[in-house]
Amino acid sequence: MFDSPITDALLLRIFRFRTRGFLRMEESAGEVPPRPALGGCYLYVHIPFCEVLCPFCSFHRVQHCHEHARRYFSALRNEICLYADAGHQFTGVYFGGGTPTIEPEELVETIALVRGRFAVREISVETNPKDLRPEVLARLRAAGVTRLSVGVQSFDDELLREMERYEKYGSGAEVAEHIRAAAGLFPTLNVDLIFNQPHQSLASLERDLEIFRTLGANQVSCYPLMTSPTVLRRMSDAMGTPDRGRLRTFFETIRRRLAPDFKPTSAWCFTRTGEGSDEYLTTADNYVGVGSGAFSYLDGTLHATTFSLNAYEQRIAQGLTGIVAHHQLSAADQMRYVLLVRMFGLGLDREWALRRHGKKFFRTLWGELRTLELLGAARRTEHGWQLTERGMYWLMLMMSEFFEAVNGYREAMRVHAGLEREAVPLGGVPQPVAAP
Ligand SMILES: C[S@@+](CC[C@H](N)C(=O)[O-])C[C@H]1O[C@@H](n2cnc3c(N)ncnc32)[C@H](O)[C@@H]1O
Ligand code: SF4
């Protein structure tokens, strides 16, 4: 009886209200933040360059320029060294974008630096289908990459054309061939798909999943199409407007079609049964984001770096990090954030929550935990709370809501960065266009 659009709308409304304070940023000086006092830390490295700027994408990305990208990578390495010199330690590193493989030599040099300075066990790299060339794959393998994540979005040629990816990244059949060639080269080969595209039929989604199963990749991340206010216009012109009313049917189809060979490792990631997954967002206690347009979360404080590439280079040249804004979450917001990411990652461990936040964790979140239980979204276990199959759908909705709020912030920062004229460091910090 709870599986209805009314429950979905109500839950999202409560979620928005309870998380409305997450992104209220204030200006930062830009020094390296202190090492986290509690728990481990992951490193996120943002590479904003892309060959094509897809009409649906709200990530921080700019048109690729070889010279600019080389200068950027060099600044990145300097920023990473700042953290190493300040004594930060990272258990893993995630290169996200944009397109991190756009300059393979620079990427490999940066991976070598990270491995030289930190004892990282996981090295995850995002890429696009065109970069799955034998020479690039061999270099990434030799560099120690443990997870390669390929942005596919769909194997349907019509949808690829609408997404303006067909010309640049090839037809669905070509993309599938590239992935087959990469299978088995890395401990984890992930494929990104986007569902609920405006002109995507259920049959097209089912076909995407069937093709995926034949490729030899051992992980798939299925994202609902998300947006932000300014991207929406360009996306609607190219692809149409998504109908949120179809989300449940699409999501249930994904779960059904991937079982039993693929098991959920988060509310939108599925990994071949018995094989590991490394989604730092759901497992890392803290993370540091370097590069332009990156976020850090350290001991309850959120930090954001500048979205201006010029300002980024200037700040690094001055011996600063790229950080221009921060927000210390209230104790209750920190707990809500932890509840969101842990439940999204399928469960919350009671002992872990006690160690990190003490008994007040359960007092503060009593209402949230009880609601999840009553709705049948989570069940109590010996060790804490486990997300149910039914709860996966709601956590997928909440996480996409959260991502859309972050997209709103990215947008405000991009507008702010656009105000820059002569590479002058920017003052002030805008607030999100669409607050959660
Ligand atoms: C930042 S991209 C990097 C991958 C690479 N640049 C590519 O597109 O091939 C990582 C993933 O984010 C997802 N993504 C980007 N924009 C999205 C949107 N508006 N809604 C849902 N997922 C999106 C896509 O699945 C994409 O593969
Ligand atoms: S989806 Fe990937 S390739 Fe397209 S603009 Fe976004 S980051 Fe770049």
Side-chain angles (χ1 to χ4, degrees), residues 68 71 308-315 420-423:
H68 203 168
R71 289 208 315 269
S308 156
L309 269 63
N310 288 337
Y312 177 69
E313 274 185 44
Q314 268 205 356
R315 293 176 82 87
E420 172 193 55
R421 291 291 176 265
E422 300 294 323

Side-chain angles (χ1 to χ4, degrees), residues 105-174:
E105 255 173 52
E106 297 286 338
L107 174 63
V108 164
E109 192 179 331
T110 310
I111 295 175
L113 171 79
V114 169
R115 290 185 71 184
R117 305 285 315 246
F118 311 104
V120 288
R121 292 188 296 272
E122 293 163 358
I123 303 172
S124 200
V125 173
E126 286 180 352
T127 188
N128 68 48
K130 202 181 154 203
D131 287 352
L132 298 178
R133 300 186 297 278
E135 68 276 15
V136 176
L137 293 172
R139 298 183 82 159
L140 295 178
R141 216 167 112 89
V145 170
T146 58
R147 178 179 180 268
L148 190 66
S149 175
V150 192
V152 170
Q153 327 316 351
S154 173
F155 295 102
D156 183 318
D157 289 347
E158 278 316 303
L159 297 179
L160 288 173
R161 281 198 182 90
E162 284 185 6
M163 285 187 270
E164 297 173 15
R165 293 175 67 97
Y166 183 94
E167 299 296 331
K168 209 76 187 177
Y169 298 142
S171 67
E174 284 164 339

Side-chain angles (χ1 to χ4, degrees), residues 50 52-54 56-57 59 61 97-99 153 165 169:
C50 290
V52 279
L53 301 184
C54 308
F56 57 87
C57 182
F59 286 85
R61 82 275 202 256
T99 310
Q153 327 316 351
R165 293 175 67 97
Y169 298 142

